[in-house]
């Protein structure tokens, strides 16, 4: 059975609301919850960016069974990998084994704030590879010292390790990244329903670390549910018109103002072509089905609009999950 998740989108809700939505999502029957790890929203209209790790710790105590995951954390610029290793271990203890650490090369939007510049994509991939190696070493419980190209570690050890090791999921998007990070990842994170990506990841998975058979391939799609389609389209355009710019653009712009400028000519109809909008649950099911057909095991939904979450839970979440389970098995 395909697992359906809910996205705790830090860019569109404050910390207390995110905790409340996490509880509601668990009660509605979502299988897992993913949380973005942002310093800034994509657009000022979204209006939020609380510290994800504080909120996740509270959610671990407020929920009891739903899986939790960062989607995704960059462990190489704003955070040092030794800090990520410690945070992830603590989260796994608080969550009683329900936590997965999702990692990626990051976006300039969130990482440039510490003043260390924004490296090329090749350098960012090098940094991510080194960071993953450090995190895995520290999660072994050993005393770790490391002198690498990008990171120094001096006599570091994680003193509170969870009984259940923290799975590492890594965002990958093409041949180059899969060949490099597939052998290092417990789980795959993908942003498009690409069957070739999933097939290639399963082929290379576990080569470097002797990991168990490939587990999860986790995707994510935005939706704009509303009983009024025009309202849903307008909201998706206002808050998510940046989505269609593509990863090469979205990873490079440094500010919400930059995203506003880059997306100023995106039309409402352009957004509606790429994001299911309105009351039609079948359209959402079809969008999710594309991921199952591509071999993904998990898909997290983003309900667009911080002020729409309660109505979504009240009116749409349960019938949508029922429809997804009937169609996807």
């Amino acid at each position: 059975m395909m697992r359906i998740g809910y996205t705790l989108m830090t860019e569109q809700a404050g910390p207390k609301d995110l905790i409340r939505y996490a509880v509601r999502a668990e009660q509605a029957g979502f299988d897992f919850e993913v949380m973005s790890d942002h310093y800034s929203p994509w657009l000022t209209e979204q209006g939020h960016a609380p510290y994800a790790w504080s909120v996740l710790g509270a959610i671990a105590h407020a929920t009891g069974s739903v899986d939790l995951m960062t989607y995704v954390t960059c462990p190489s610029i704003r955070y040092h990998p030794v800090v990520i290793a410690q945070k992830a271990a603590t989260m796994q203890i608080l969550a009683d084994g329900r936590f997965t650490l999702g990692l990626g090369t990051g976006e300039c939007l969130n990482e440039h704030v510490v003043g260390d510049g924004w490296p090329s994509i090749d350098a960012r991939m090098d940094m991510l590879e080194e960071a993953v190696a450090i995190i895995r070493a520290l999660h072994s419980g050993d005393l770790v010292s490391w002198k690498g190209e990008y990171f120094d570690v001096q006599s570091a050890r994680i003193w509170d390790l969870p009984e259940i090791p923290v799975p590492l999921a890594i965002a990958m998007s093409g041949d180059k990244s899969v060949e490099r990070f597939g052998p290092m990842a417990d789980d795959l994170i993908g942003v498009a329903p690409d069957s070739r990506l999933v097939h290639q990841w399963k082929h290379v998975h576990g080569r470097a670390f002797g990991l168990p058979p490939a587990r999860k391939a986790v995707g994510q799609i935005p939706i704009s549910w509303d009983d009024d389609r025009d309202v849903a389209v307008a909201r998706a355009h206002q808050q998510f018109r940046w989505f269609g710019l593509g990863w090469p653009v979205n990873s490079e712009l440094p500010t919400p103002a930059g995203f506003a400028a880059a997306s100023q000519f995106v039309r409402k109809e352009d957004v509606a072509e790429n994001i299911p909008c309105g009351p039609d649950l079948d359209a959402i099911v079809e969008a999710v089905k594309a991921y199952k057909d591509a071999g993904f095991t998990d898909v997290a939904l983003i309900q667009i609009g911080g002020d729409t979450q309660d109505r979504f839970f009240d009116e749409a979440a349960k019938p949508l999950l029922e429809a997804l389970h009937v169609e996807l098995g």
Side-chain angles (χ1 to χ4, degrees), residues 13 35 48 62 78 99 108 178 186 210 242 276:
M35 175 171 280
H48 293 277
R78 184 167 40 119
F99 179 67
C108 183
V178 173
D186 296 288
W242 56 271

Side-chain angles (χ1 to χ4, degrees), residues 163-183:
E163 293 182 4
I164 300 173
V166 180
L168 302 188
I170 301 180
M172 302 172 228
S173 60
D175 294 350
K176 188 175 181 179
S177 61
V178 173
E179 282 294 328
R180 189 163 193 178
F181 298 112

Side-chain angles (χ1 to χ4, degrees), residues 97-182:
R98 295 181 284 133
F99 179 67
T100 295
L101 175 60
L103 300 170
T105 55
E107 305 96 9
C108 183
L109 175 70
N110 303 300
E111 307 307 320
H112 83 281
V113 295
V114 295
D116 286 341
W118 183 235
S120 69
I121 183 58
D122 287 339
R124 300 200 308 270
M125 291 176 74
D126 290 344
M127 295 171 79
L128 178 59
E129 182 176 11
E130 193 172 320
V132 169
I134 292 169
I135 292 167
R136 285 212 180 270
L138 285 166
H139 282 178
S140 73
D142 293 337
L143 186 69
V144 175
S145 292
W146 178 284
K147 181 70 172 177
E149 183 177 357
Y150 296 99
F151 302 110
D152 289 343
V153 179
Q154 297 183 11
S155 304
R157 177 183 171 187
I158 305 299
W159 289 90
D160 288 279
L161 283 172
E163 293 182 4
I164 300 173
V166 180
L168 302 188
I170 301 180
M172 302 172 228
S173 60
D175 294 350
K176 188 175 181 179
S177 61
V178 173
E179 282 294 328
R180 189 163 193 178
F181 298 112

Side-chain angles (χ1 to χ4, degrees), residues 2-329:
M2 181 173 228
R3 301 195 332 145
I4 305 300
Y6 172 79
T7 299
L8 297 155
M9 192 172 185
T10 59
E11 302 94 292
Q12 65 179 17
K16 290 187 176 180
D17 281 335
L18 288 166
I19 298 166
R20 186 165 58 84
Y21 298 153
V23 173
R24 295 209 64 182
E26 181 178 57
Q27 292 171 343
F30 284 93
D31 300 301
F32 67 102
E33 301 174 9
V34 304
M35 175 171 280
S36 53
D37 187 353
H38 269 235
Y39 201 86
S40 298
W42 300 97
L43 295 168
T44 56
E45 288 89 345
Q46 292 175 322
H48 293 277
Y51 183 55
W53 291 87
S54 297
V55 182
L56 278 169
I59 288 172
H61 269 244
T63 58
S65 60
V66 68
D67 288 342
L68 304 173
M69 178 180 181
T70 53
Y71 200 100
V72 295
T73 289
C74 175
S76 54
I77 301 176
R78 184 167 40 119
Y79 305 127
H80 193 285
V82 299
V83 177
I84 293 297
Q86 183 188 37
K87 290 195 289 191
T90 300
M91 261 303 304
Q92 187 70 308
I93 294 170
L94 292 173
D96 295 320
R98 295 181 284 133
F99 179 67
T100 295
L101 175 60
L103 300 170
T105 55
E107 305 96 9
C108 183
L109 175 70
N110 303 300
E111 307 307 320
H112 83 281
V113 295
V114 295
D116 286 341
W118 183 235
S120 69
I121 183 58
D122 287 339
R124 300 200 308 270
M125 291 176 74
D126 290 344
M127 295 171 79
L128 178 59
E129 182 176 11
E130 193 172 320
V132 169
I134 292 169
I135 292 167
R136 285 212 180 270
L138 285 166
H139 282 178
S140 73
D142 293 337
L143 186 69
V144 175
S145 292
W146 178 284
K147 181 70 172 177
E149 183 177 357
Y150 296 99
F151 302 110
D152 289 343
V153 179
Q154 297 183 11
S155 304
R157 177 183 171 187
I158 305 299
W159 289 90
D160 288 279
L161 283 172
E163 293 182 4
I164 300 173
V166 180
L168 302 188
I170 301 180
M172 302 172 228
S173 60
D175 294 350
K176 188 175 181 179
S177 61
V178 173
E179 282 294 328
R180 189 163 193 178
F181 298 112
M184 307 179 74
D186 296 288
D187 302 327
L188 164 73
I189 294 172
V191 296
D194 184 347
S195 60
R196 186 171 179 272
L197 179 76
V198 177
H199 177 77
Q200 184 184 6
W201 170 66
K202 289 181 177 179
H203 176 70
V204 304
H205 173 268
R207 186 187 298 156
F209 285 91
L211 299 173
R215 304 190 328 153
K216 295 182 292 186
V218 188
Q220 185 184 56
I221 63 167
I223 65 173
S224 185
W225 175 87
D226 199 283
D227 54 15
D228 186 321
R229 186 176 187 277
D230 290 339
V231 170
V233 171
R235 183 173 65 243
H237 179 263
Q238 180 197 47
Q239 297 194 26
F240 250 74
R241 62 187 182 273
W242 56 271
F243 183 74
L245 296 174
W247 183 247
V249 175
N250 290 341
S251 65
E252 299 298 325
L253 298 176
T255 63
F259 280 93
S263 62
Q264 62 181 312
F265 298 116
V266 176
R267 304 169 301 171
K268 290 182 180 179
E269 52 265 41
D270 299 326
V271 173
E273 286 179 3
N274 293 292
I275 296 174
C277 295
D280 186 0
L281 300 185
D282 289 340
I284 300 173
V285 171
E286 283 302 307
V288 175
K289 186 174 182 295
Y291 279 85
K292 181 176 183 181
D293 292 344
F296 281 78
T297 61
D298 300 46
V299 172
L301 307 180
I302 305 172
Q303 165 63 8
I304 297 172
D307 59 352
T308 71
Q309 305 303 307
D310 284 319
R311 280 190 60 227
F312 173 73
F313 288 122
D314 289 340
E315 302 176 34
K318 288 187 177 180
L320 175 57
L321 286 171
E322 290 173 2
L324 286 166
H325 290 148
V326 168
E327 177 64 29
L328 305 178

